[in-house]
Amino acid sequence: MKHSFLLLFLACSTSLFAQRFTLEGQVKDPDAITLEGATVYVQSLKDSITMAYGITNKTGQFSININAEEETKLLFNVAYLGYQPYSKDIDVPTENKFDMGTVTLSDQIEQLNVISIIGKAPPIVIKKDTIEYNADSFKTLANDRAEDLLKKLPGVEFDIDGNITVNGVAVEAINVDGMEFFGEKMGDIALKNLPSNVISKVQVTDYKTNLQKFTGEESDSGTKEINIKIKKGKNTAFFGDLNGGVGTDDKYQANANLFQMIDGKQIGFISGTNNINMRRGFTALPDAKSSTGYVESDFIGANYSKGKWDETRVNANYKYSASNVDNSSFRFRDYFLPNLNYTTETVSNSTTDSDNHSGDLDLKFIIPSKNNKSSNKIQLSNDLKFNRDTSDSFSQSTTESNSKDGSAISDYNANSESSSFSREQH
């Protein structure tokens, strides 16, 4: 019986682990010259969803880790500028490695300036120095946000502090339809609040400052910039979502978002309230474990932007957030001394109320040359910011010490109050 169980366990283990494997190979042209930077990706035959993706190295080699899940066959694809796309059905191996050997691409009859990966749902398009991901090619859940989509894109990684890299290169800015969202350079509010199902494409380019974009200079940053493009239809009408929930012990959570993204104009409204320890409503919804005590928080924000970087533009936004944090603790200690044994009990309570108001008004005026033949322009700008923080805290602590026979040794009470206020304007 034991031997039968062991054989059954081994068979199940082999079946499970066989779904994960590494796909390797090398890409060459008809003259046997290795091709660096060829796009290699694997799709599901059922729905054309991209399962894994990679780019060949200097020697034309690739290595992709694939989780085939329940698939028994996959579609292997290679695309490279100037060559015909390559596709081949492959069987999911029972081993943990599968070698494609040498993949030879055929010459394209006409030279193209765009690589378009052909399929029912092309996952990526490479346009010179731009990588463009097709959002619908990557599986997301109904309630996923833009950040959840980015985490599924091959080559895009988030570290523990939320910093983003694309193929190992740091991302310095995130825009929505070519514009800052809520006036944020890194797009935290966009990543945490925009529904993933309204996104059409995610574009990755070399980061340029607004001045470099204005003057047409080349990028010298060595970093990347992400642009999130909204689907057609979603960028002509208002869209958003409303979520809410209640639970035991009077727990609740509610969020409401409303957006309009017309070409060259953005309107956004976000709000939320909860008492389940989600403190940073604008930029994160952390686990309850990340906040100590009992936390109630509220937030609301509004944004209006019009005009892209090469146009006269205005960006105005306002954000308000408030939180109340209550902490209670009880500590019991036993002390054993040569001449005395006693216990101490400490009860502590604290509460902190804080709120923050912040706003930004960024105006940039583009004055074209009076000479119609000249492309010279003048830019005038003015940026006003304000930020106000207030906080009130109160804490109370009581400590009692008693001997083992119950007689009191000491009784200590401590109370403290503090308030803080800060304001910045420039």
Side-chain angles (χ1 to χ4, degrees):
M1 180 66 181
K2 291 183 179 179
H3 293 295
S4 299
F5 175 77
L6 179 61
L7 289 173
L8 177 62
F9 175 78
L10 289 175
C12 292
S13 299
T14 302
S15 175
L16 289 172
F17 285 107
Q19 307 305 315
R20 296 178 181 271
F21 67 98
T22 301
L23 184 67
E24 298 179 344
Q26 187 176 41
V27 179
K28 295 183 178 182
D29 71 2
D31 297 322
I33 298 175
T34 57
L35 297 176
E36 177 187 1
T39 302
V40 181
Y41 69 102
V42 175
Q43 291 178 296
S44 165
L45 283 173
K46 295 179 181 178
D47 51 20
S48 297
I49 294 296
T50 301
M51 317 231 7
Y53 150 89
I55 296 177
T56 57
N57 61 18
K58 292 181 179 180
T59 60
Q61 295 176 321
F62 61 87
S63 179
I64 309 172
N65 295 320
I66 300 172
N67 180 5
E69 299 176 354
E70 298 179 358
E71 304 280 349
T72 57
K73 283 182 173 290
L74 299 172
L75 181 61
F76 171 76
N77 305 271
V78 183
Y80 193 78
L81 180 65
Y83 297 87
Q84 293 181 14
Y86 177 95
S87 297
K88 182 181 180 180
D89 291 357
I90 60 172
D91 294 318
V92 175
T94 55
E95 296 81 16
N96 59 7
K97 185 177 290 187
F98 186 82
D99 191 350
M100 291 292 299
T102 299
V103 178
T104 303
L105 302 186
S106 301
D107 289 326
Q108 190 86 37
I109 297 175
E110 294 182 2
Q111 291 291 325
L112 302 176
N113 60 2
V114 172
I115 299 175
S116 180
I117 297 174
I118 298 173
K120 294 180 180 179
I124 186 171
V125 173
I126 302 174
K127 302 177 181 177
K128 296 183 180 179
D129 59 348
T130 301
I131 300 175
E132 187 174 87
Y133 297 93
N134 185 332
D136 288 338
S137 296
F138 302 91
K139 293 181 180 179
T140 55
L141 301 177
N143 293 324
D144 278 354
R145 304 294 167 175
E147 182 181 68
D148 300 304
L149 170 63
L150 261 62
K151 288 179 177 179
K152 298 177 186 297
L153 302 182
V156 179
E157 294 183 355
F158 287 69
D159 67 14
I160 193 171
D161 297 318
N163 300 312
I164 307 171
T165 59
V166 178
N167 295 325
V169 181
V171 172
E172 193 166 340
I174 296 177
N175 297 318
V176 177
D177 280 341
M179 305 165 64
E180 287 187 352
F181 193 70
F182 270 80
E184 292 188 326
K185 183 178 180 181
M186 285 305 298
D188 287 332
I189 291 178
L191 293 179
K192 301 294 182 182
N193 292 278
L194 280 179
S196 64
N197 59 12
V198 305
I199 298 172
S200 169
K201 301 180 186 301
V202 176
Q203 300 169 324
V204 181
T205 59
D206 293 332
Y207 171 75
K208 286 187 177 183
T209 64
N210 285 334
L211 181 59
Q212 287 174 327
K213 292 177 182 178
F214 181 73
T215 60
E217 296 178 22
E218 292 296 323
S219 169
D220 59 0
S221 63
T223 55
K224 294 294 182 181
E225 178 174 329
I226 290 177
N227 181 46
I228 297 172
K229 291 188 68 66
I230 304 301
K231 289 178 177 177
K232 290 183 178 180
K234 298 294 185 181
N235 59 1
T236 58
F238 281 98
F239 65 90
D241 55 8
L242 177 65
N243 299 294
V246 295
T248 58
D249 300 324
D250 297 323
K251 297 294 186 181
Y252 63 87
Q253 179 197 3
N255 293 82
N257 298 322
L258 185 65
F259 306 103
Q260 185 183 47
M261 311 257 176
I262 298 175
D263 188 32
K265 184 174 76 171
Q266 295 177 352
I267 298 174
F269 173 82
I270 59 176
S271 63
T273 182
N274 74 85
N275 65 349
I276 54 175
N277 289 35
M278 293 182 177
R279 302 181 65 173
R280 297 181 295 158
F282 283 115
T283 58
L285 295 178
D287 255 10
K289 294 180 181 179
S290 66
S291 302
T292 58
Y294 177 79
V295 181
E296 296 179 343
S297 64
D298 309 284
F299 66 92
I300 188 170
N303 174 75
Y304 175 82
S305 298
K306 185 176 182 180
K308 297 185 178 181
W309 60 267
D310 57 347
E311 302 170 337
T312 292
R313 59 194 185 275
V314 57
N315 174 261
N317 63 81
Y318 168 77
K319 292 173 285 186
Y320 169 76
S321 60
S323 67
N324 171 266
V325 182
D326 291 325
N327 278 291
S328 296
S329 64
F330 175 79
R331 184 176 65 192
F332 179 87
R333 289 183 177 179
D334 251 325
Y335 293 88
F336 300 94
L337 302 176
N339 300 319
L340 177 65
N341 296 333
Y342 68 97
T343 62
T344 63
E345 295 181 3
T346 302
V347 178
S348 301
N349 296 286
S350 67
T351 183
T352 300
D353 292 309
S354 60
D355 60 55
N356 171 265
H357 298 264
S358 63
D360 183 15
L361 177 60
D362 185 12
L363 302 172
K364 288 184 172 59
F365 299 92
I366 305 296
I367 303 175
S369 173
K370 292 183 179 181
N371 184 351
N372 294 331
K373 296 181 180 180
S374 174
S375 60
N376 294 331
K377 293 178 288 186
I378 297 175
Q379 176 176 277
L380 303 177
S381 62
N382 187 30
D383 191 6
L384 301 175
K385 297 179 184 291
F386 80 88
N387 186 76
R388 191 186 76 172
D389 284 297
T390 59
S391 178
D392 296 304
S393 298
F394 173 78
S395 64
Q396 182 181 50
S397 177
T398 300
T399 301
E400 294 182 358
S401 298
N402 299 285
S403 63
K404 288 296 184 180
D405 60 9
S407 58
I409 298 177
S410 65
D411 190 352
Y412 175 75
N413 294 297
N415 297 314
S416 67
E417 291 185 50
S418 65
S419 297
S420 64
F421 173 81
S422 65
R423 182 173 61 185
E424 296 179 15
Q425 185 172 336
H426 56 84

